[in-house]
Amino acid sequence: MSGVHPYCIVPEAYPPEPGLTGVDEAPVLGYGVGPLTVWVSPLGEAPPLDLGRVRQHHRVVEAATTRVTPVPVRFGGWAPTSEALFERILSRADELEAALAAVSGRVEFGIRFGDPAGSSEPSSGAAGPRSSGPSASPETSSGRAYLRARAREHDERRRRRERGASLVECLRGHLEALSMEERITSVPPPGLVAVAHLVARSDSDRYLELIGSFLRHRTDDCEMHATGPWPPYSFMVP
Amino acid sequence: MAEPSRVVVAEDPTTLVELVNRVVDRGVLLRGEVTISVADVDLLYVGLELLLCSMDRLETGRPEADAPRRRPRLPSAEGDGP
């Protein structure tokens, strides 16, 4: 087979349902590779990235997730030949099997904190002692103004890091009753931090209860968005 | 008659951002905005961290150099079955 677009890797007993289609409406096929099955679509060339194709890709991974927790392959894993893809998978079969065992029966939830004031200019006053108040200075192009602006940016980044870390710590304390994996990612303004949790599917309801409770009892003024359950994209093998 | 161009997109922008951030491979990081339009009407203006694929992660098995903290560390826990 020529080029293939992979979606996910599952245990060998889980081929895709007949009739399932993916990116560009191409059929989704399952190929046994050692002890694993990889779900792919035959595509002659790497599919361009757009939201429609991202959704199509995600729908296939979700279709797999309804039956077994897969190791998702992110959009962009196109290989010029199926043999090349299979060789790569085989060379990492042990690692991928371990990954499948690790995510088995689990789902991912995402929490994203945002700072409503985070998109404002660094000189808005939250930056600390080096803030110089209104910045409509006639010397904006001077070296001093440049250094001040850099100092404000530095302070703002530090403030955002500290705020994000504080929120994550608070959330951790609220969820400590649950056993789960965590991935933390810094995000650009107005976001503060994103957290992904890998939770046992059987704990999903409890997780959502705790998140709801966290939302009700928070005292900070940050925005918080919770999404999920997702396939374990954030916990996949690189 | 209702304006044909006023279409409500019943998709939460946050979910859209989360979807793209999860599904798209990491490679080249693009930070910017995406405007989603229907019938030439801008509906959503979303800040995204778009991470475009520049490498085959299955082949190299290595994360991007600028993302060492995101190297997945899979739990060694037992699976409890699908």
Side-chain angles (χ1 to χ4, degrees), chain A residues 51, chain B residues 9 16 32-38 40-48 50:
Chain A
L51 284 172
Chain B
V9 173
L16 187 65
E33 291 77 36
V34 166
T35 302
I36 299 172
S37 304
V38 174
D40 296 329
V41 175
D42 294 343
L43 296 173
L44 298 174
Y45 193 64
V46 187
L48 288 179
L50 260 183

Side-chain angles (χ1 to χ4, degrees), chain A residues 49 51 55 58 67 74-76 88 92 99 101-102 104-106 108 110 112 181 183 185 187 225 235-236 238, chain B residues 11 14 16 18 20-23 25-26 49 52-53 56-58 70 72-75 77 79-82:
Chain A
L49 174 64
L51 284 172
R55 288 192 180 98
H58 176 61
R67 299 165 59 203
R74 292 182 194 267
F75 191 104
R88 286 182 228 139
R92 300 179 63 196
S104 177
R106 302 182 185 201
E108 176 180 329
R112 180 175 291 253
E181 281 284 306
R183 294 285 180 276
T185 312
V187 293
H225 299 282
F235 299 84
M236 60 181 236
Chain B
E11 179 161 27
T14 303
L16 187 65
E18 296 290 330
V20 171
N21 283 335
R22 279 176 170 76
V23 176
D25 199 356
R26 295 184 186 85
E49 317 162 66
L52 305 182
C53 176
D56 188 328
R57 305 176 70 82
L58 276 173
R70 298 196 63 172
R73 290 178 292 102
L74 286 158
D80 52 359

Side-chain angles (χ1 to χ4, degrees), chain A residues 194-211:
Chain A
V195 187
H197 290 132
L198 187 66
V199 180
R201 191 184 294 275
S202 56
D203 284 339
S204 294
D205 289 344
R206 177 68 178 141
Y207 176 86
L208 292 173
E209 281 173 21
L210 290 172
I211 291 295

